[in-house]
Amino acid sequence: MSIYGVNYLKILDKTCFICGSKIFATSLQGDYIKCVACGHETIKNYKHQSFIINEILSVEGINKQGLLDKFKQKVLKKCTVTNDFLLDVGSASGKFLYHNKSFFKRCAGIEVTEECISFAKNHLGLEIVKDISEVTNNISVATFWHSLEHMSDENIQKILDVINSKSSDDTRVIISVPNNESLQYALFGDRYAYYDLQSHIHQFSVKSLDKLMEKYGFEKQCNFYSFPYSSFGYLQGFVNLVNPIHNYLYYRKKRGQTFTKSKGKILFLDIYNFLFLLLFILPSLLFSIHDLIHLDKGSVITACYKKKITNKQVY
Ligand SMILES: [Zn+2]
């Protein structure tokens, strides 16, 4: 079937786990199938891989609070209504919890990577569990900082179900995920900085994220513009256009990764990338203004959800 030149696929044995539609199109790059009704993208061929540690696990690194950490803290403070229990889903090194634990009476993280669990527990003194079933407290704030897109449909449903059952009118859920309707994705395609076939099972749209949360009893309270996510995304996206190694700068800085053993080549790649970084700083800042004006087309979606008010009948 073809509508307005776009090829639509009707996949009878698959249903969008968010909205229930059975009509899908192929995503821009062909790696995901896109639900025509809610815009949600699900990876076509997911090969489960061991989870990547996205940060260098050192106490020194954790103590440094960068722009992104400050952004997360600002969002958390703006959204929090009660301060009993903070749950960070996909807590990784524990950095977010470590910097924000003092605002809450209790906090915990959910994490699956053994090295991260051990680091967060033993070096940062945090409470980390492996599964949502181990969470017994009522939740004041639950956060998903770029973790939801990594989870299977079943896992997402299970986690949101528990969060719903442990929430009150004052509970807030903060979610940040890449935006498949962003200008950056449209401009850069598979060079989009937040494009990650290795580990992103999902690519959300604003509509699909809202619909998913609605299913579990939440409605959107507000969206946030993130200068660090936006400007970095443009900068890395532009550099990706001239560098075959996807997100080279990011991997070098965040994970300390090198892509060759030759010191000369490492130096060459660093300088090559750094020069393009300088060249693209100004255009990236200018493009970031677009994301500020058009939040729905921003590089990532960062949204706060609150419990949906249901009309209770008064007798
Ligand atoms: Zn859908």
Side-chain angles (χ1 to χ4, degrees):
M1 178 168 60
S2 177
I3 302 171
Y4 303 119
V6 180
N7 287 318
Y8 284 82
L9 315 165
K10 201 164 191 174
I11 302 173
L12 296 172
D13 61 344
K14 180 159 177 68
T15 305
C16 172
F17 86 106
I18 293 177
C19 75
S21 167
K22 284 182 175 290
I23 304 175
F24 296 88
T26 300
S27 70
L28 279 175
Q29 307 307 317
D31 302 312
Y32 290 82
I33 53 166
K34 188 180 182 95
C35 169
V36 172
C38 73
H40 190 74
E41 294 182 9
T42 310
I43 200 159
K44 275 182 179 170
N45 303 305
Y46 180 65
K47 294 186 191 94
H48 181 77
Q49 302 190 355
S50 57
F51 291 95
I52 297 160
I53 301 170
N54 217 10
E55 292 162 86
I56 301 165
L57 300 176
S58 79
V59 177
E60 197 189 331
I62 296 296
N63 276 318
K64 284 181 196 156
Q65 222 183 350
L67 272 182
L68 195 53
D69 303 307
K70 285 178 183 159
F71 167 72
K72 290 177 182 177
Q73 192 167 65
K74 188 183 87 180
V75 172
L76 179 68
K77 282 184 175 175
K78 280 201 170 179
C79 297
T80 302
V81 181
T82 53
N83 64 347
D84 293 316
F85 180 55
L86 167 66
L87 177 70
D88 187 27
V89 183
S91 55
S93 65
K95 189 175 188 180
F96 174 72
L97 285 174
Y98 183 73
H99 283 289
N100 297 291
K101 64 180 179 181
S102 61
F103 305 127
F104 290 83
K105 289 176 190 157
R106 204 181 146 195
C107 70
I110 300 179
E111 180 52 48
V112 289
T113 315
E114 289 295 343
E115 292 96 318
C116 288
I117 296 172
S118 162
F119 176 80
K121 277 184 169 178
N122 302 328
H123 294 271
L124 306 180
L126 296 168
E127 181 188 340
I128 308 291
V129 296
K130 273 188 165 179
D131 193 275
I132 188 79
S133 59
E134 295 170 66
V135 175
T136 52
N137 296 58
N138 283 333
I139 297 164
S140 303
V141 183
T143 51
F144 295 76
W145 295 109
H146 288 252
S147 55
L148 201 62
E149 65 270 33
H150 297 253
M151 298 174 187
S152 68
D153 304 3
E154 296 75 24
N155 209 9
I156 289 176
Q157 293 175 90
K158 182 178 154 190
I159 287 175
L160 291 179
D161 215 15
V162 174
I163 289 177
N164 180 29
S165 71
K166 296 198 175 302
S167 61
S168 68
D169 289 352
D170 290 337
T171 300
R172 296 293 180 267
V173 181
I174 299 165
I175 302 178
S176 192
V177 287
N179 181 4
N180 75 17
E181 286 170 346
S182 61
L183 176 63
Q184 288 188 22
Y185 188 36
L187 280 176
F188 302 127
D190 61 1
R191 309 269 82 199
Y192 172 43
Y194 303 101
Y195 197 74
D196 188 351
L197 276 180
Q198 306 288 318
S199 53
H200 290 178
I201 298 173
H202 304 279
Q203 296 199 129
F204 287 88
S205 67
V206 172
K207 190 176 175 183
S208 75
L209 187 59
D210 286 351
K211 274 199 165 292
L212 175 70
M213 293 308 287
E214 250 174 58
K215 268 177 81 172
Y216 291 90
F218 290 90
E219 63 184 357
K220 184 141 72 191
Q221 184 177 349
C222 57
N223 278 319
F224 290 91
Y225 164 71
S226 160
F227 173 73
Y229 277 129
S230 174
S231 55
F232 160 76
Y234 280 111
L235 193 54
Q236 182 64 80
F238 279 122
V239 176
N240 281 345
L241 295 177
V242 292
N243 184 353
I245 304 173
H246 191 62
N247 289 353
Y248 179 88
L249 289 167
Y250 175 78
Y251 293 136
R252 283 289 282 141
K253 189 173 184 309
K254 189 121 186 189
R255 300 180 191 165
Q257 195 171 337
T258 55
F259 295 84
T260 167
K261 282 182 180 162
S262 157
K263 283 186 178 170
K265 276 186 186 166
I266 294 170
L267 185 65
F268 169 78
L269 283 170
D270 283 355
I271 293 171
Y272 178 85
N273 279 274
F274 183 69
L275 290 175
F276 276 107
L277 179 138
L278 290 179
L279 181 70
F280 290 124
I281 281 180
L282 189 59
S284 300
L285 292 175
L286 293 175
F287 269 99
S288 295
I289 298 170
H290 166 276
D291 287 13
L292 174 63
I293 299 167
H294 303 282
L295 277 183
D296 283 4
K297 301 282 177 196
S299 57
V300 305
I301 305 163
T302 303
C304 175
Y305 293 88
K306 62 178 182 177
K307 199 89 172 169
K308 205 156 54 183
I309 297 163
T310 48
N311 292 326
K312 286 174 189 157
Q313 250 181 326
V314 181
Y315 293 98

